[in-house]
Amino acid sequence: MAEKQPISVPDDSLIRFLLPEAHTRGVIIRGTGIIAEGARIHRLDAADALLFGQSLLAAILLLSISKGGMRQVLQLDSTSDASPWQRVLTESRQGAVRGYINRNESGDAIDATTIGSRLGNKLRISTVRDLGFGHPYISTVEHESPFLADHLIRYLTQSVQIRADIILHGDLAIMIEAMPGCDEESWFKAVETMAKIPDAALENEAPERLLHYFDTLRCKQAGIDSYGYHCICNPEQMANAIQAMPNEQLDDMLDASGQITVTCQYCGSHYSLPHSVDASRLQ
């Protein structure tokens, strides 16, 4: 028996675009719905919701550069036991993203809105890129900065050898990526143009209007994808998860009716499963 959380907000649009004048491509998304749904599911205040939401959007940005990518996991780990958050894990698939936060219950509440204020400035970034065939590509890098965008750029440069620039501003995420033939002059034009977008526009304007700031680079849309905060958990997955646990631990989890209740950490859905359940019966 499962209790699924309802979908309460519409999906957000990821726009893929090209900048032919600068041999650059990019993506842009305003994740209003994704952030709102993540905040609702995990009961986050405004500051935490924004940082968690930017981590969700970051996973979507990384998925957008995986040619034929099936799944992108982005895991941010603190290197300090004293940080209020110890881990943020987000996972994106085509059209969907989900995630969770591991908190340090003894950590202090902080109002600042940088990822460094929650996890500390020195982060360990681990990624899994699953292309749907062969072995997933796994990478881990460390970097020191209070800003998530800096960590992503360092990861792309060091681990993927991709030249990219990223803006994470409120609920807006923009990434540009150098294409073959992009020389230093072309890349400078692309980065400079993106840097000149006013903060007020980043905060309020629709992504379609923001693309007009790239008109000098002959910006043109290349496609639109919808993304929402959606979880793919189901009884079969949960049954498989508990079957991997020791019997002694499962016995401690049994209630009076002989059921084990488990909760999905991504979406909060509850599942009541019988001990020693056969997962195939739950399909």
Side-chain angles (χ1 to χ4, degrees):
M1 179 178 179
E3 176 188 325
K4 262 291 194 184
Q5 297 285 357
I7 300 300
S8 59
V9 293
D11 286 355
D12 299 312
S13 294
L14 177 85
I15 301 176
R16 290 176 278 111
F17 61 91
L18 299 173
L19 305 175
E21 192 69 24
H23 301 283
T24 301
R25 61 188 162 206
V27 291
I28 181 171
I29 181 171
R30 191 174 289 283
T32 308
I34 290 170
I35 293 176
E37 188 68 359
R40 183 188 69 82
I41 288 173
H42 295 285
R43 300 179 182 179
L44 304 176
D45 61 26
D48 283 359
L50 183 61
L51 294 172
F52 179 59
Q54 289 179 347
S55 302
L56 295 168
L57 297 180
I60 295 174
L61 296 184
L62 295 181
L63 181 67
S64 74
I65 63 174
S66 297
K67 313 304 184 289
M70 301 288 292
R71 182 174 67 106
Q72 174 71 61
V73 175
L74 172 63
Q75 181 174 301
L76 308 172
D77 285 307
S78 174
T79 58
S80 169
D81 293 337
S83 297
W85 293 0
Q86 291 298 294
R87 170 175 293 173
V88 177
L89 188 144
T90 59
E91 176 189 273
S92 180
R93 301 170 184 264
Q94 187 63 39
V97 67
R98 63 179 184 169
Y100 64 84
I101 303 168
N102 282 347
R103 297 177 180 272
N104 180 359
E105 297 303 330
S106 62
D108 296 329
I110 300 175
D111 294 329
T113 52
T114 65
I115 199 68
S117 68
R118 300 304 191 276
L119 289 163
N121 288 346
K122 187 175 183 180
L123 298 185
R124 183 178 302 111
I125 299 182
S126 303
T127 62
V128 178
R129 287 193 296 154
D130 184 358
L131 301 179
F133 57 87
H135 295 291
Y137 175 78
I138 302 173
S139 176
T140 300
V141 299
E142 285 190 3
H143 186 52
E144 188 166 354
S145 171
F147 303 110
L148 178 56
D150 290 345
H151 291 282
L152 297 175
I153 293 168
R154 176 60 177 267
Y155 159 74
L156 291 171
T157 301
Q158 180 176 322
S159 186
V160 192
Q161 286 79 54
I162 286 178
R163 178 183 281 182
D165 198 18
I166 293 172
I167 290 177
L168 293 173
H169 188 101
D171 62 358
L172 182 77
I174 310 175
M175 181 176 69
I176 57 174
E177 173 196 353
M179 297 171 62
C182 180
D183 57 21
E184 291 296 331
E185 182 180 356
S186 297
W187 181 244
F188 178 80
K189 283 195 283 188
V191 172
E192 182 184 43
T193 302
M194 188 165 75
K196 288 182 177 179
I197 302 176
D199 285 350
L202 295 174
E203 291 169 5
N204 301 307
E205 291 190 11
E208 294 84 354
R209 289 186 57 84
L210 288 170
L211 291 182
H212 286 299
Y213 288 93
F214 293 102
D215 281 347
T216 57
L217 303 178
R218 294 192 291 119
C219 179
K220 59 181 180 180
Q221 290 190 24
I224 299 178
D225 301 311
S226 294
Y227 278 90
Y229 191 110
H230 305 304
C231 189
I232 59 171
C233 68
N234 58 52
E236 181 184 2
Q237 287 183 340
M238 292 300 183
N240 288 335
I242 68 170
Q243 284 182 328
M245 299 170 63
N247 285 331
E248 296 79 5
Q249 187 174 355
L250 293 175
D251 290 341
D252 291 339
M253 297 169 62
L254 285 173
D255 61 22
S257 63
Q259 300 285 308
I260 295 174
T261 299
V262 292
T263 302
C264 175
Q265 58 191 338
Y266 291 101
C267 69
S269 296
H270 304 296
Y271 295 88
S272 293
L273 305 170
H275 193 351
S276 302
V277 66
D278 180 359
S280 64
R281 299 200 312 264
L282 298 173
Q283 297 185 23

